[in-house]
Every structure is written in C-alpha cells, then in structure tokens.
Amino acid sequence: MKAARRALITGINGQDGILLSDHLSKNGYEILGIGTQEGKSSFLNPSVGYQKIDIRDTATFTSVVDSFTPDSIYNLASISSVARSFEKPELTWEVNGYAVANILESLFGKAHHPNLKFFQASSSEMFGLAAVEPQDEEVVFHPVSPYAESKVFALESCRKYRKQGYFVASGIMYNHESIYRPKSFVTRKITSGVAAIKKGEQSTLQIGNMYAERDWGYAGDYVEAMALILHANEPDDFVISTGITHSVKDIVTIAFDEAGLGGRELEFLELDEGLLRPKEVNRLVGNSTKAYEKLGWKSQKTFEQLIREMVRYDLSAK
Ligand code: G4F
C-alpha cells in the first residue's frame, strides 16, 4: 500500500536532506530524493527513493514531479558555500536562482498544480549588511555575495507565485549545523580538525575570520521548522534562527575544551588570510518570533551542546 503523503526533496544528499527525510519518514511520508551524485548518501534511510537529476534540467524535473505526484516539494538543492560562490558566480546564480524560477514557472505558470506545496530554503545571507538587528521577515535584504544574490532572486520568484495563489513558502534559514555538515563549513572544519589534532592525525588548524559572528543552531531543529512551514494554513516566509550570536572564536574555545585541549588553542591555530572572503558579513542574528507565534517553533539545542556533540562524534569517528 502506498503512503498517503509524498514529499520530493532536492539536495537529498546534503545535511538538511538527510535530516528532513528522516523527520518526514517518521511522520509517514514516502520520500523521493533528488541529487546530482551517482547514488544516494549512505546516511539516508533505505526507504528513501533516489534519482540523479540536476535541478537546472527543468523538463526532467517536471516529468519526475508528474510521475511521483508529491504533495510537497522541499527545494534544498543549492551551491551552498558562500565562499565558493565568489569563485563560481554564474553557476551559483544558475543553480540557486534561475533553476528555482524555471521550476516554479513550469509547475505553476505553464502547468497548474493547485494542491502542490513548495518549500524554498532561503538564507540569512540575504540580509548581508542589513542595518537592523536582529533581522526579522520585514528587514530589507542587503546581499553582498553571489550566493546571497541568487537566494534573493529565488525568494522573489517564490513570492510571485504565492501572490498568484499557490502554496509557495520559504524558511529564511540561519546557519544550522550537525554531524552531517561537510568539513568545508566552519563548525565542522573546527570540530573535525580539533578531533584530528587530539588523535595526533593533524598538527594545525587553519582558520579565516575568527571574529565573524553567526546565529548557529542545530539542523535537526531547523528541518522540523521546514515541515511546519509547509503544514501552516497559509504560505509565508519565516526567519528560522536561535536569536543568539556566537563568534568563530567561541566554536574554537568550546571544541578544544571538549577534546581535553582547553587553553591550548594557540599551539595549533593558524590564521590563513587566503580563507578571508572578498566581502564578508561580519555578524548576523535572527528574530524568529513569527515562527514561534504562527508555527509554535523554537530552536531547542544550544550552541554549546551542538558543538560539544559534533566534537564527540568526530573524536569517535574512524
Ligand atoms: O560555515 P560558513 O562557511 O557558513 P556561511 O558562509 O555563513 O554559510 C552557511 O550558512 C548560511 C546561512 O544559513 C547558508 F545560507 C549557507 O548555505 C551556508 O550553509 O562560514 C561561517 C563564518 C563566515 O563568516 C566565514 O568567513 O565563518 C567564517 N570562517 C572563518 N574561518 C570560515 C573559516 N568559514 C569557512 N567555511 N572556513 C574557514 O576556515
């Protein structure tokens, strides 16, 4: 017998794809995941279906939607590295921006899927150099990277189809992390680096801007917000954040402490100017009052619990 509800998730092999598919599977969903790799991640539940598709291939994407007939689509696919977007701006605009506009036009402009719900993973990076703090849904975007620009374009496209009456919603996601985070992002780079130092496998840890401040939460909490956003009565945009900022230096301090190397950071840390971005957003902090009031969502795991858990995982990993 087929599950009553079906969700299609793009970017299934990423951190959020793994955690969201777990969450939706537990809630009775049949999941089809889409990714650009040959096969699906070994972290995914065996019940999750998989198809290799580039979301820029609108025709193939649309035909998969027509055959799988999902009631919800979660668009998590993206060039997710802000740093990489400076090196590959065209690719970033294509995948994160134009592909989303093309899919929406295909699903809701050319065709008509009145009952299909679409979630777009938007980003706090869109606020960029915003003058207001903390940022809520009304704050004007001030993007400074190709990544942020592409996400603003995609969100504007979502709003266009929402105005036409379709359920197209978005989460403005602040940084969210877990053991599934690739080591190219700063939290996991530090937790895995510190674990490697502790195990004697690495002697230094190169870091860029130690004083950047972000509003870091636990990805497992954030995927629950995504599902709640698609289960709300009305489609809308929601800031998903903890409301608390920490610096990269704070991650370093907690990670070294958890590994039993507290206070010895300077023996191992190297500041690498090559890791500084052409344009940096120094500080972001979100206000998720709307998500709390309308969805009942609140971030649960603290920053310190999160970083300590990631270090413990990396220490135990082979
Ligand atoms: O971990 P990051 O690379 O994440 P970033 O750029 O904030 O982007 C992440 O969060 C966004 C918001 O949710 C997402 F939209 C995006 O897709 C991605 O998931 O860098 C965080 C901060 C930056 O200020 C960066 O300059 O850490 C600073 N940093 C300092 N040293 C470093 C490093 N970042 C990286 N990746 N590597 C470093 O060595």
Side-chain angles (χ1 to χ4, degrees):
M1 201 173 86
K2 278 189 175 169
R5 298 180 291 181
R6 291 194 198 101
L8 188 150
I9 303 176
T10 73
I12 191 76
N13 286 327
Q15 160 187 272
D16 293 3
I18 294 165
L19 290 167
L20 177 64
S21 63
D22 254 11
H23 177 67
L24 293 178
S25 296
K26 283 182 194 136
N27 284 285
Y29 274 84
E30 181 182 343
I31 315 274
L32 176 62
I34 284 177
T36 49
Q37 291 89 344
E38 278 313 315
K40 67 178 186 178
S41 161
S42 56
F43 290 119
L44 284 165
N45 188 299
S47 67
V48 173
Y50 182 72
Q51 289 206 22
K52 182 187 174 207
I53 300 172
D54 186 322
I55 61 161
R56 290 174 294 175
D57 180 355
T58 318
T60 306
F61 182 87
T62 310
S63 73
V64 168
V65 172
D66 289 340
S67 57
F68 183 60
T69 59
D71 28 39
S72 38
I73 296 178
Y74 292 84
N75 183 39
L76 311 183
S78 76
I79 301 294
S80 61
S81 163
V82 176
R84 187 165 172 234
S85 81
F86 287 104
E87 290 154 22
K88 302 243 175 224
E90 294 91 350
L91 178 68
T92 306
W93 290 321
E94 272 180 28
V95 175
N96 298 4
Y98 307 146
V100 182
N102 287 335
I103 286 171
L104 292 171
E105 173 60 15
S106 173
L107 295 176
F108 302 120
K110 295 199 179 77
H112 179 56
H113 291 85
N115 300 318
L116 179 61
K117 295 182 172 186
F118 188 96
F119 173 85
Q120 167 65 11
S122 295
S123 166
S124 57
E125 278 293 310
M126 300 187 303
F127 292 119
L129 302 182
V132 180
E133 218 177 73
Q135 299 91 31
D136 64 16
E137 296 79 4
E138 305 307 317
V139 172
V140 175
F141 299 134
H142 193 147
V144 294
S145 62
Y147 174 87
E149 290 161 0
S150 68
K151 288 287 182 179
V152 171
F153 179 79
L155 179 56
E156 287 306 331
S157 197
C158 289
R159 288 172 172 171
K160 171 178 144 187
Y161 294 96
R162 188 186 309 157
K163 279 188 197 133
Q164 292 174 17
Y166 294 102
F167 199 112
V168 182
S170 172
I172 303 177
M173 315 300 290
Y174 280 64
N175 297 51
H176 47 286
E177 319 293 314
S178 73
I179 57 164
Y180 303 116
R181 193 61 143 153
K183 295 175 185 171
S184 50
F185 293 92
V186 78
T187 51
R188 190 79 197 289
K189 179 176 179 177
I190 294 170
T191 63
S192 64
V194 170
I197 288 170
K198 176 72 178 179
K199 291 190 249 181
E201 297 163 1
Q202 192 172 314
S203 54
T204 57
L205 177 60
Q206 279 85 24
I207 292 293
N209 181 4
M210 283 279 280
Y211 300 98
E213 292 177 287
R214 291 287 184 279
D215 179 336
W216 277 287
Y218 169 52
D221 292 337
Y222 286 41
V223 299
E224 290 185 15
M226 295 178 187
L228 288 170
I229 288 170
L230 277 204
H231 286 99
N233 292 333
E234 302 287 333
D236 208 339
D237 303 319
F238 294 91
V239 163
I240 303 299
S241 65
T242 71
I244 302 170
T245 46
H246 290 276
S247 65
V248 172
K249 193 165 177 284
D250 293 337
I251 307 172
V252 169
T253 305
I254 295 170
F256 274 87
D257 184 66
E258 183 61 30
L261 298 170
R264 294 183 55 195
E265 294 88 321
L266 293 181
E267 287 176 43
F268 306 102
L269 270 192
E270 282 181 7
L271 296 184
D272 181 349
E273 292 202 348
L275 292 166
L276 299 177
R277 298 176 179 178
K279 281 184 186 145
E280 173 71 293
V281 174
N282 285 319
R283 181 180 155 93
L284 286 170
V285 56
N287 174 355
S288 286
T289 304
K290 179 171 160 185
Y292 182 63
E293 288 178 355
K294 295 205 168 174
L295 308 172
W297 181 87
K298 206 168 164 224
S299 165
Q300 301 292 328
K301 195 171 284 189
T302 68
F303 171 78
E304 184 165 343
Q305 284 171 335
L306 171 65
I307 299 301
R308 288 189 186 279
E309 272 181 27
M310 290 171 71
V311 173
R312 285 200 291 276
Y313 176 83
D314 285 323
L315 282 170
S316 66
K318 294 259 156 35

